[in-house]
Amino acid sequence: QVQLVESGGGLVQPGGSLKLSCAGSGIILEYYAVGWFRQAPGKEREGVSCMSETDITTDYADSVKGRFTISRDSAKNTLYLQMNSLKPEDTGVYYCAADLRTTRIYNCSRDVTVYDHWGQGTQVTVSS
């Protein structure tokens, strides 16, 4: 059974940093395209960042470019999202996801409909 478990969320002041983790079980994360998504209250879930199977390609939403970095540790079977210079508008529940249906060696997608396996989410609150 595939499981993705996020951790690392919390309350942080504007300008601060957090590093989210997504541990995989029942799945070898390096074999699949993966992504990070977030959902703010009353808003639709949006794609924050994604990474192709081979780690060759990464993509970021314009709102987080230069501040967030997606990475993957194959030895730990874990996906990360380093978030720096956090803003109040970054507040939301953050989810990791994996696309097991499509081969994406050289590309990735931030479209929520592409991903078929999701974690339970971790809350990130940016507030003073």
Side-chain angles (χ1 to χ4, degrees):
Q1 182 180 358
V2 174
Q3 280 194 313
L4 301 172
V5 180
E6 301 95 335
S7 61
L11 173 64
V12 63
Q13 292 187 341
S17 297
L18 281 175
K19 186 174 185 177
L20 305 183
S21 300
C22 170
S25 61
I27 179 177
I28 300 176
L29 284 175
E30 66 176 320
Y31 290 171
Y32 303 100
V34 290
W36 284 98
F37 299 78
R38 68 185 179 191
Q39 188 164 19
K43 294 188 177 181
E44 292 186 353
R45 192 171 299 187
E46 63 171 346
V48 173
S49 181
C50 65
M51 175 180 284
S52 63
E53 291 176 21
T54 55
D55 298 3
I56 289 176
T57 299
T58 58
D59 188 43
Y60 298 90
D62 288 344
S63 59
V64 307
K65 277 181 182 176
R67 300 189 298 122
F68 290 12
T69 303
I70 189 171
S71 63
R72 176 161 42 191
D73 186 329
S74 298
K76 296 182 179 180
N77 202 31
T78 300
L79 179 70
Y80 300 99
L81 185 69
Q82 176 69 48
M83 305 186 295
N84 299 327
S85 303
L86 283 161
K87 305 175 181 180
E89 51 263 43
D90 294 319
T91 294
V93 179
Y94 282 70
Y95 302 88
C96 64
D99 175 11
L100 274 63
R101 295 178 296 194
T102 306
T103 300
R104 295 183 186 275
I105 297 175
Y106 300 113
N107 64 81
C108 67
S109 174
R110 290 185 287 109
D111 183 346
V112 298
T113 63
V114 163
Y115 294 83
D116 53 343
H117 286 79
W118 294 82
Q120 83 290 348
T122 185
Q123 176 70 45
V124 171
T125 303
V126 184
S127 175
S128 55

